[in-house]
Amino acid sequence: MDVSSFVLLSHEQALRRQLDVAANNMANVSTTGYKREQALFHEYVETAQAAPVQEARKTSFVLDYGAVHDIGQGAFQATGNPLDVMIEGPGYLNVELGDGSTGYTRAGFIKVLETGELATSGGQRLLDENGRPILAPTDRTGSLTITADGSVMAGEEAVGRLAVTSFADENMLEARGDGVLTGPGGQVMTAAQTKLRSGGVEASNVEPISETAHMVEILRSYQTSQRLSADLADMRRRAIDRLGKIG
């Protein structure tokens, strides 16, 4: 296999990675709080010691550097539940994971457990600024509301404040597959920094039409790469036939 085939192969691997990411985005178009991902690549240039011409000494390959999140805000979806919240701007709600560690989510569906503790729709307990679950009086769960700074109110009494954590580099976060992310480097936001909107949740920021168009572009690029590969194979075949006739 010559250098041109290796270059095409690296290109096709990059296109496959792009298609996987785009397909995952489409699968999460209705996932609350989901942030669109985009494949990230880096050019690797290899310099040969010798080549027929000077310009042919350098060969450019494509390296997969993972994926980055589009942190753009999703649309507000009203639910009618006063406990449901959408984070306006950066940040993630803090939740308690099964192993006792802290996870982060933007899916703001909130319910009250039988114990009076606030939890996500998946059952993970929501945490306050001190990393503790928020416990509401069981006889006043029907009057609970959440203010813009994250304070949980039982009537006129504040029973806690939802912790919202921001990250300097959100690409350090890893998705678990259940709408919860994990990662280091988070900073709990103050009440003044926190901006919540109650009565609804944040929709996915994936645009189905744009994502579909992107998938079509990827497929067309892959088809072009396949045609180039076939042309190179045909060129080699003709060269071998001619060499055979000369011999």
Side-chain angles (χ1 to χ4, degrees):
M1 186 180 291
D2 60 17
V3 173
S4 57
S5 296
F6 281 117
V7 172
L8 284 173
L9 180 59
S10 74
H11 180 230
E12 290 170 7
Q13 288 177 326
L15 290 172
R16 179 177 178 178
R17 170 66 169 157
Q18 283 185 300
L19 188 60
D20 288 342
V21 171
N24 184 61
N25 288 337
M26 287 296 292
N28 286 280
V29 70
S30 299
T31 301
T32 302
Y34 178 81
K35 298 298 183 183
R36 177 182 179 272
E37 290 187 329
Q38 182 174 346
L40 180 64
F41 300 101
H42 182 72
E43 181 185 28
Y44 172 73
V45 179
E46 184 178 88
T47 304
Q49 294 183 351
V53 293
Q54 184 68 18
E55 291 76 7
R57 289 186 60 200
K58 293 184 178 181
T59 304
S60 178
F61 295 93
V62 183
L63 296 182
D64 183 0
Y65 261 43
V68 295
H69 292 92
D70 176 3
I71 61 174
Q73 184 85 47
F76 179 77
Q77 286 187 332
T79 62
N81 179 6
L83 292 181
D84 290 341
V85 294
M86 180 183 84
I87 301 173
E88 295 186 314
Y92 295 83
L93 297 172
N94 294 15
V95 298
E96 183 182 56
L97 302 181
D99 59 0
S101 61
T102 302
Y104 308 97
T105 183
R106 286 185 69 95
F109 289 112
I110 296 177
K111 64 181 181 181
V112 182
L113 302 178
E114 293 182 357
T115 58
E117 295 169 314
L118 270 62
T120 65
S121 59
Q124 293 114 345
R125 295 189 299 179
L126 289 157
L127 304 177
D128 63 12
E129 301 163 290
N130 300 310
R132 296 192 297 261
I134 298 173
L135 181 64
T138 54
D139 59 340
R140 285 188 286 170
T141 56
S143 64
L144 292 178
T145 57
I146 298 176
T147 64
D149 67 357
S151 297
V152 181
M153 308 295 294
E156 298 297 323
E157 178 189 357
V159 297
R161 194 176 80 85
L162 294 172
V164 178
T165 297
S166 63
F167 294 84
D169 184 4
E170 296 197 10
N171 293 315
M172 297 296 292
L173 294 172
E174 295 184 5
R176 294 180 0 134
D178 58 353
V180 176
L181 298 92
T182 58
Q187 181 69 40
V188 177
M189 302 169 68
T190 65
Q193 295 171 324
T194 302
K195 294 181 180 180
L196 301 183
R197 182 177 177 182
S198 60
V201 295
E202 179 185 10
S204 166
N205 68 353
V206 176
E207 295 289 343
I209 296 177
S210 298
E211 207 65 38
T212 301
H214 182 50
M215 293 178 73
V216 172
E217 290 175 0
I218 295 170
L219 290 172
R220 286 177 177 170
S221 296
Y222 189 82
Q223 291 168 351
T224 300
S225 182
Q226 288 286 291
R227 285 196 296 270
L228 285 172
S229 181
D231 290 342
L232 284 172
D234 186 55
M235 183 177 65
R236 293 190 201 99
R237 213 166 24 245
R238 291 199 305 269
I240 291 171
D241 289 342
R242 291 178 181 177
L243 287 172
K245 291 177 181 178
I246 293 173

